Amino acid sequence: MSIRQMIEQLTLLTDKKCGTGATAQDVADAESTLAVRLPATYKAFLIRFGWARVYGDPVYGVGPSVPAEYGLIPSTIRERYDAYPPLPHSFVPFMNDGTGNHYCLDTARFRGDECPVVFWDHEHEDGPNQTPEQV
């Protein structure tokens, strides 16, 4: 799916709330603070919307309109340092499943401008040694 198609599909959804968008500097600051490169499609989402709530599920973001509980930077830092099992530093959680698990960008495995999305299970029997499932 292209970035344009992704944005068009999100725009067409009826059960959503979106932010006003982030600046390129907001996105660059997030990459710098988290010490990762974000994929092109997620950057486009951040610049266009900043954050979203789709069918009740938050998509974390950055920018002036993002509610505190949907902030990408604090969510990532909290999952890296305060949660157990701690999130690997190459993972960027962008959506919580409502039970403490996260859909994450695996920024260690880029192909071109994109990286896979994986599911981090906070109750996985292998804890921090789990191999998250790609979704």
Side-chain angles (χ1 to χ4, degrees):
M1 172 183 305
S2 73
I3 295 168
R4 182 183 54 75
Q5 290 169 321
M6 177 202 63
I7 289 172
E8 285 175 2
Q9 286 188 358
L10 183 55
T11 303
L12 294 173
L13 294 176
T14 56
D15 187 2
K16 68 172 181 311
K17 181 172 182 174
C18 298
T20 57
T23 66
Q25 188 61 55
D26 292 330
V27 175
D29 290 347
E31 289 178 309
S32 177
T33 300
L34 300 175
V36 296
R37 178 176 75 142
L38 296 172
T41 49
Y42 189 58
K43 287 184 197 183
F45 163 80
L46 293 172
I47 289 171
R48 173 63 175 85
F49 300 105
W51 65 277
R53 189 177 65 237
V54 180
Y55 296 106
D57 295 321
V59 180
Y60 302 150
V62 297
S65 71
V66 66
E69 65 272 22
Y70 296 169
L72 177 70
I73 294 170
S75 295
T76 302
I77 291 170
R78 184 175 50 253
E79 292 301 318
R80 285 180 179 175
Y81 298 104
D82 298 337
Y84 186 84
L87 207 60
H89 282 249
S90 62
F91 287 7
V92 177
F94 68 91
M95 181 181 244
N96 186 308
D97 75 348
T99 65
N101 305 308
H102 283 87
Y103 294 94
C104 301
L105 302 166
D106 184 352
T107 66
R109 297 191 303 154
F110 263 88
R111 287 191 146 186
D113 289 336
E114 299 300 329
C115 65
V117 172
V118 297
F119 185 73
W120 183 257
D121 182 347
H122 80 284
E123 293 180 333
H124 194 279
E125 63 188 33
D126 292 335
N129 299 316
Q130 66 182 281
T131 303
E133 177 183 332
Q134 185 172 334
V135 294

